[in-house]
Amino acid sequence: MPESPSINQNNMPDTLPSFRNLGVVLRIIVLVNGLVLCVALLQAASIQDVGRYILHGSAFLQPVLLSVLLILYALDVVFSRLSYRQGVLGVLAVVALASALIAQIGVELFAAPQATFDSARQLVLSVIVAGVGLAYFRLRAQSLLPALSAARLQALQARIRPHFLFNSINAVLGIVRNDPKRAESALEDMADLFRMAMADNRELVTLLREVELSRQYLALEHLRLGERLKVDWQVQDMPQDALIPALMLQPLLENAVYHGIEPLRDGGEIIVKLYRSGKEMHLDVYNPCPVMRKNHAGNKMALANIRERLALQFDLEAHYSVDMGADYYRVHIMIPYVKEGQK
């Protein structure tokens, strides 16, 4: 699972990519094979020679590539704890050792007809290819930094809607004399929400904490909506130690209240389902869907913010979808299940 890159004082990413992420693995495979194709095109004297160079190059490349990917997958947790420089040296060492070992095992297999197999040359080429790959991921992470900052700002703007702030303050003012303890609790909930919203949300938080924060938000909304707002929490299969992006659930609930509950005279019910299925964590939020709000731009803006955050945080391993019926609106999010201590 890729995390948002940590940034050093020079505004450069200083962590390696996660070698357990599907998107990273696919990019490595495409990049390495693309480099092999380029080398074959440069070496071949004719089009007919291209296939032969690719075939003989792949005979050595594919076992090395597979071995390196398996080793990096197994050692991903170890690499995540190293500095960037130590991680790079570690990856290059893994590539060199795997290349040397496989070259010794299959030297006769890799030798082309009427040619000798130069294991030292292949080892150097493997290390160079690995270096190019690491440079690519570093440049990619650097290029994503502006998008990450923009997505964080958009998510912040989507979360702190002026109407929510004003409505919450008015709701507290309405009960401050008759129920001062409840008003004090509501102000504490507001403080927690805004403290989390203003924090640097590159880190993941436990699902239990996210649910607690979402309940605080809904308690504030309940002050002004009263019995019009009903919430069904289906969390019996929720792993409390699962890690998710901070403030991922609360904006979905705010969207559900704003677009699904407020327009209805009698209000309605929001259903929240949080559950684990194998190595996947699922979040479902259902809300009523008034006819006049089905194509409301706010729905699309909130989901676009969430989609961008998921892509930056999890790459290809996250998925979200929207399902709309005659009288309901459902957002489904799937992310990798990672528990606390396994980041």
Side-chain angles (χ1 to χ4, degrees):
M1 176 197 63
E3 299 174 19
S4 303
S6 58
I7 310 302
N8 58 31
Q9 60 183 354
N10 296 319
N11 200 37
M12 288 286 289
D14 60 2
T15 56
L16 292 172
S18 171
F19 297 110
R20 294 187 176 184
N21 176 258
L22 177 61
V24 171
V25 172
L26 290 177
R27 287 184 175 90
I28 291 174
I29 293 173
V30 172
L31 177 64
V32 171
N33 283 279
L35 290 173
V36 171
L37 176 60
C38 291
V39 171
L41 290 173
L42 291 174
Q43 290 182 335
S46 64
I47 297 298
Q48 291 76 13
D49 289 337
V50 173
R52 180 168 58 85
Y53 277 108
I54 292 177
L55 178 63
H56 292 298
S58 295
F60 175 74
L61 168 73
Q62 302 306 330
V64 171
L65 179 59
L66 179 60
S67 301
V68 169
L69 288 176
L70 290 174
I71 295 172
L72 294 179
Y73 180 93
L75 298 179
D76 184 69
V77 175
V78 176
F79 282 117
S80 67
R81 297 170 182 168
L82 301 176
S83 68
Y84 181 78
R85 181 171 297 180
Q86 291 172 333
V88 168
L89 293 176
V91 171
L92 295 180
V94 167
V95 172
L97 290 173
S99 300
L101 180 61
I102 292 176
Q104 291 300 318
I105 293 175
V107 65
E108 294 184 359
L109 174 65
F110 305 137
Q114 300 178 347
T116 58
F117 178 75
D118 189 343
S119 59
R121 177 173 175 272
Q122 295 297 330
L123 189 150
V124 172
L125 287 176
S126 297
V127 172
I128 291 175
V129 170
V132 171
L134 290 171
Y136 160 76
F137 282 110
R138 186 168 174 82
L139 290 174
R140 182 175 183 272
Q142 184 182 7
S143 69
L144 289 177
L145 291 181
L148 183 62
S149 299
R152 192 179 302 123
L153 176 60
Q154 291 172 1
L156 182 64
Q157 292 171 338
R159 288 195 297 268
I160 308 179
R161 292 193 179 104
H163 89 278
F164 167 64
L165 175 60
F166 298 145
N167 289 338
S168 297
I169 292 175
N170 288 332
V172 172
L173 290 175
I175 64 170
V176 69
R177 291 185 179 179
N178 298 329
D179 196 346
K181 289 186 177 180
R182 191 179 181 194
E184 181 181 358
S185 177
L187 289 175
E188 290 175 351
D189 290 341
M190 286 183 62
D192 285 343
L193 279 170
F194 280 87
R195 187 180 301 111
M196 182 65 77
M198 297 302 295
D200 185 351
N201 292 317
R202 287 177 297 181
E203 292 298 322
L204 304 178
V205 299
T206 62
L207 184 56
L208 178 61
R209 173 57 180 152
E210 184 74 5
V211 169
E212 289 174 349
L213 197 72
S214 297
R215 288 183 185 273
Q216 289 176 301
Y217 161 73
L218 291 172
L220 288 169
E221 293 288 27
H222 195 268
L223 282 178
R224 65 185 185 86
L225 295 175
E227 296 306 314
R228 292 175 58 203
L229 173 60
K230 302 177 180 65
V231 183
D232 178 13
W233 288 91
Q234 299 182 14
V235 294
Q236 60 272 16
D237 297 323
M238 178 189 82
Q240 298 184 356
D241 60 351
L243 297 175
I244 69 171
L247 286 174
M248 181 63 65
L249 178 58
Q250 185 272 333
L252 292 178
L253 294 173
E254 186 172 354
N255 207 52
V257 170
Y258 184 62
H259 297 290
I261 304 300
E262 284 189 12
L264 297 176
R265 177 180 176 183
D266 298 325
E269 182 179 55
I270 297 174
I271 301 175
V272 184
K273 296 176 63 177
L274 306 172
Y275 60 96
R276 174 191 173 189
S277 176
K279 296 183 179 180
E280 300 173 348
M281 184 67 218
H282 295 264
L283 294 80
D284 277 318
V285 176
Y286 296 80
N287 61 266
C289 186
V291 175
M292 74 286 294
R293 290 292 180 115
K294 283 191 174 182
N295 296 315
H296 199 281
N299 285 349
K300 297 178 182 179
M301 182 180 297
L303 289 176
N305 289 336
I306 291 172
R307 180 178 67 246
E308 190 167 9
R309 290 182 66 198
L310 289 172
L312 291 170
Q313 192 83 49
F314 297 104
D315 203 349
L316 300 179
E317 293 194 324
H319 173 74
Y320 92 99
S321 61
V322 173
D323 181 23
M324 185 184 303
D327 58 355
Y328 74 91
Y329 192 89
R330 168 184 175 253
V331 177
H332 174 77
I333 293 177
M334 185 279 291
I335 60 177
Y337 169 64
V338 179
K339 63 182 180 179
E340 197 169 13
Q342 290 188 342
K343 286 194 293 182

